[in-house]
Amino acid sequence: FNVPPPQNEPVLNYGPRSLERVALKAALEEARAQQLDIPMYIGDKEVRTGTKLEIRPPHDHKHLLATFSEGDASHVTAAIKAALAAKADWEGLAWEQRAAIFLKAAELFAGPYRAEINAATMLGQSKNAYQAEIDSACELIDFLRFNVEYMTEIYKQQPPVSGKGVWNRVEQRPLEGFVFALTPFNFTAIAGNLPASAAMMGNVVVWKPAYTQIYAANVIMKVFKEAGVPDGVINLIYVDGPVAGEVIFNHPDFAGIHFTGSTKVFQNIWQTIGTNIHKYKTYPRIVGETGGKDFVLAHPSANADVVSTALVRGAFEYQGQKCSAASRAYVPASLWPAVKANMQRDITSFKIGPVEDFENFINAVITEVSFDKLAKYIDAAKADKGVEVVAGGNYDKTAGWFVEPTVLKVDDPYYVTMCEELFGPVLTIYVYEDAKFDEVLNIVDKTSIYALTGSIISQDRYAIEKATYHLRNAAGNFYINDKPTGAVVGQQPFGGARGSGTNDKAGSMINLLRWVSPRTIKETF
Ligand code: NAD
């Protein structure tokens, strides 16, 4: 069999009179009116419990969008049981059949479910139409299509050399046990990809999304089922993280975790797995994409417009809640007046408000907890003599969790917001003397406790070369003359090292190889 060659899904533009805008508006209205009662999906059952939790749009917290059923430890146990019961049939199915299921899911997202998944992402996670389109339509579709391509390459790999009278071969087995997929709130594409990539390679999965992502997760599950993912292969549960972890990480059949989320949570999970290692049948695969504190470094030769565009788009799209978002920058003094003026002009032109108005570029941050944390850091910055608030600095939670895009200029390159991940629309800038570029390179590297993304902006080839080499461990995705966000599946495999994860590059063959365990067979005649 040959599977169709993958192509990146074209991004629709949702212009004022476009058909896609009409469809999306209708989907938004329908979703707002529905008040869904969202179940967990365990085996062949939709499971509802007596504990109903609310889902409210972050930009409109007075509106009850839906409820979902929270489960407890017994539901985690049931999900593991259902997964293990589905295992033999699923791993016995020819890989081409599994490929077909996920290719069909990609087509369903691209066509009949595009408006619904985008509307769910917009309402549940407060993403504007464009940000939803590049995430929950295009990136999700790309993950599915490109992973099928990488899967094909894995299964079609050349066999090893065989000598006279001997036939050697290597077989790619799914992991022995089940995989736990733990997904973050900020990308619907990641929510779909983490369970799907493990399942594609013949594994059975227990999937727990962030509670703030359940509204879109429900649509993903609906599409997976319609595409033909058999009951029990992916089980979707809503259980408090530590409660789920307690059951999962004590289970002998736990064979791997596919995680995206914060560094601290991942480190705790790793530690728990280490403590329990003697309880498992096999060494579990530990794959995690975690936090970031991503940088933009401008060289004195850079064009000020390129720098300010990289900063404004890199830092504030989706309210800075991308793991790759620019959140610290180093700008030479000679460029600063122009960069500052450009940024102030752009930021004051941004409209802030709910996603239903397509003119709003900035929407709400995800939760009150996140809002309060950001407000606390902004207030501390305002009170600090070493910090200048260059733009923004206001916040308002009357209708939703709205935080203005905020730019801070600091005297100390190690100021707290230059180092910690805030995960919101706050960009901190250190302005350096032009002659001190080499010194700043050291500061950037030293501050890169996380190492996810970073950019050098320069027209000087020697400076580009120097930064590329010197910062080789400071970012898993390094950009030259561009913003540090917007990796495209199949074009820039994504992931970071140091505190940012195991760097198994989401949407790549490296990642898929983590979900199989090869067996070498030698037959002698
Ligand atoms: P989070 O760590 O709070 O949650 C991630 C998942 O872990 C959720 O499903 C959550 O419920 C669960 N969880 C939390 N505590 C747990 C525990 N003690 N035991 C078991 N499970 C637990 O992350 P988030 O706020 O949803 O997402 C934002 C974070 O994700 C940021 O740090 C961001 O940088 C990171 N992120 C990284 C990438 C990447 O590719 N590197 C991509 C997206 C997001």
Side-chain angles (χ1 to χ4, degrees):
F1 294 98
N2 280 323
V3 298
Q7 283 179 354
N8 288 112
E9 179 64 17
V11 181
L12 302 180
N13 76 16
Y14 296 88
R17 275 172 293 282
S18 63
L19 287 177
E20 61 262 21
R21 183 183 283 216
V22 173
L24 184 53
K25 287 257 179 196
L28 284 166
E29 271 175 36
E30 195 182 326
R32 280 187 71 97
Q34 259 175 347
Q35 297 228 324
L36 288 179
D37 172 23
I38 297 174
M40 294 184 279
Y41 297 85
I42 302 176
D44 62 353
K45 295 194 176 52
E46 294 191 359
V47 179
R48 291 185 169 81
T49 68
T51 312
K52 303 275 184 215
L53 301 185
E54 295 178 344
I55 300 176
R56 291 169 184 273
H59 51 270
D60 182 11
H61 49 55
K62 293 193 177 61
H63 178 74
L64 180 62
L65 184 63
T67 56
F68 67 92
S69 285
E70 189 183 46
D72 56 27
S74 70
H75 299 100
V76 187
T77 305
I80 296 172
K81 217 171 145 197
L84 295 174
K87 188 170 171 58
D89 282 351
W90 182 240
E91 65 181 40
L93 194 65
W95 66 263
E96 293 89 344
Q97 307 299 339
R98 300 199 305 262
I101 289 172
F102 289 103
L103 284 177
K104 179 166 179 189
E107 294 315 299
L108 290 172
F109 284 121
Y113 284 94
R114 195 183 196 110
E116 188 174 337
I117 189 70
N118 278 341
T121 301
M122 290 170 75
L123 292 171
Q125 290 140 257
S126 204
K127 275 196 182 186
N128 65 36
Y130 177 75
Q131 292 299 320
E133 167 73 6
I134 59 175
D135 164 14
S136 50
C138 301
E139 191 174 8
L140 177 53
I141 296 161
D142 289 352
F143 271 137
L144 295 167
R145 288 183 184 152
F146 279 84
N147 276 341
V148 165
E149 167 76 11
Y150 303 134
M151 165 198 199
T152 309
E153 287 175 38
I154 291 171
Y155 288 122
K156 288 191 164 179
Q157 260 169 9
Q158 287 293 323
V161 175
S162 291
K164 194 171 166 344
V166 168
W167 179 24
N168 295 320
R169 49 215 195 253
V170 172
E171 169 197 1
Q172 298 291 353
R173 301 167 303 179
L175 305 185
E176 196 180 5
F178 68 92
V179 173
F180 185 34
L182 202 47
T183 60
F185 79 83
N186 66 333
F187 273 89
T188 300
I190 296 175
N193 182 46
L194 300 201
S197 47
M200 207 176 266
M201 302 311 288
N203 296 285
V204 289
V205 179
V206 175
W207 169 26
K208 194 208 88 61
Y211 281 7
T212 36
Q213 192 191 53
I214 288 173
Y215 199 67
N218 182 54
V219 182
I220 294 174
M221 196 65 195
K222 206 162 75 171
V223 170
F224 283 171
K225 284 199 171 283
E226 187 172 327
V229 175
D231 293 336
V233 168
I234 296 176
N235 301 276
L236 175 56
I237 55 168
Y238 318 128
V239 177
D240 183 47
V243 174
E246 180 64 25
V247 179
I248 300 269
F249 302 129
N250 277 300
H251 200 287
D253 291 304
F254 168 62
I257 178 162
H258 204 186
F259 175 88
T260 300
S262 60
T263 300
K264 196 161 164 248
V265 169
F266 188 56
Q267 289 178 348
N268 287 339
I269 287 173
W270 195 307
Q271 210 161 14
T272 308
I273 295 171
T275 308
N276 291 345
I277 198 70
H278 58 285
K279 297 182 182 170
Y280 311 131
K281 278 193 196 136
T282 186
Y283 289 107
R285 297 286 164 89
I286 306 178
V287 176
E289 295 297 336
T290 60
K293 186 71 198 173
D294 310 297
F295 63 85
V296 170
L297 167 60
H299 183 260
S301 65
N303 176 312
D305 292 345
V306 175
V307 176
S308 57
T309 303
L311 288 178
V312 168
R313 291 199 57 200
F316 300 125
E317 286 177 346
Y318 189 39
Q319 297 78 259
Q321 298 172 120
K322 298 187 183 187
C323 48
S324 54
S327 63
R328 59 186 163 119
Y330 306 82
V331 177
S334 59
L335 291 185
W336 177 237
V339 170
K340 178 178 171 179
N342 286 350
M343 291 184 77
Q344 287 173 329
R345 177 202 61 208
D346 291 347
I347 289 170
T348 41
S349 75
F350 288 160
K351 292 186 73 178
I352 305 181
V355 299
E356 288 85 347
D357 178 349
F358 282 30
E359 297 302 307
N360 290 326
F361 178 78
I362 300 285
N363 314 113
V365 299
I366 193 73
T367 55
E368 187 167 20
V369 172
S370 171
F371 176 94
D372 288 344
K373 176 180 170 181
L374 292 160
K376 195 182 85 185
Y377 279 95
I378 290 171
D379 286 349
K382 283 178 181 163
D384 195 312
K385 287 197 177 59
V387 183
E388 176 193 344
V389 180
V390 174
N394 298 307
Y395 44 81
D396 178 7
K397 57 173 163 182
T398 323
W401 318 120
F402 291 107
V403 178
E404 265 184 357
T406 297
V407 180
L408 308 173
K409 175 180 164 291
V410 292
D411 292 343
D412 173 10
Y414 299 106
Y415 181 72
V416 60
T417 61
M418 288 296 276
C419 304
E420 283 182 23
E421 183 186 44
L422 306 191
F423 222 56
V426 178
L427 167 68
T428 311
I429 299 182
Y430 175 66
V431 177
Y432 67 91
E433 287 173 36
D434 285 29
K436 295 196 171 164
F437 180 71
D438 289 0
E439 212 172 289
V440 166
L441 273 181
N442 283 329
I443 294 173
V444 175
D445 191 45
K446 215 166 131 188
T447 321
S448 298
I449 308 299
Y450 300 97
L452 192 51
T453 73
S455 301
I456 170 75
I457 314 236
S458 170
Q459 298 193 63
D460 176 333
R461 267 292 145 191
Y462 291 105
I464 291 173
E465 167 68 8
K466 205 185 256 187
T468 306
Y469 178 73
H470 202 86
L471 300 175
R472 65 196 177 282
N473 293 318
N477 283 56
F478 189 68
Y479 294 80
I480 299 168
N481 290 323
D482 204 346
K483 64 188 170 64
T485 56
V488 176
V489 178
Q491 298 188 29
Q492 298 97 20
F494 187 78
R498 292 189 182 163
S500 288
T502 53
N503 202 9
D504 290 298
K505 297 292 183 207
S508 76
M509 200 194 289
I510 298 171
N511 181 284
L512 291 191
L513 282 169
R514 300 301 307 273
W515 309 119
V516 284
S517 179
R519 174 167 73 148
T520 305
I521 300 171
K522 177 188 175 191
E523 182 166 353
T524 307
F525 303 116

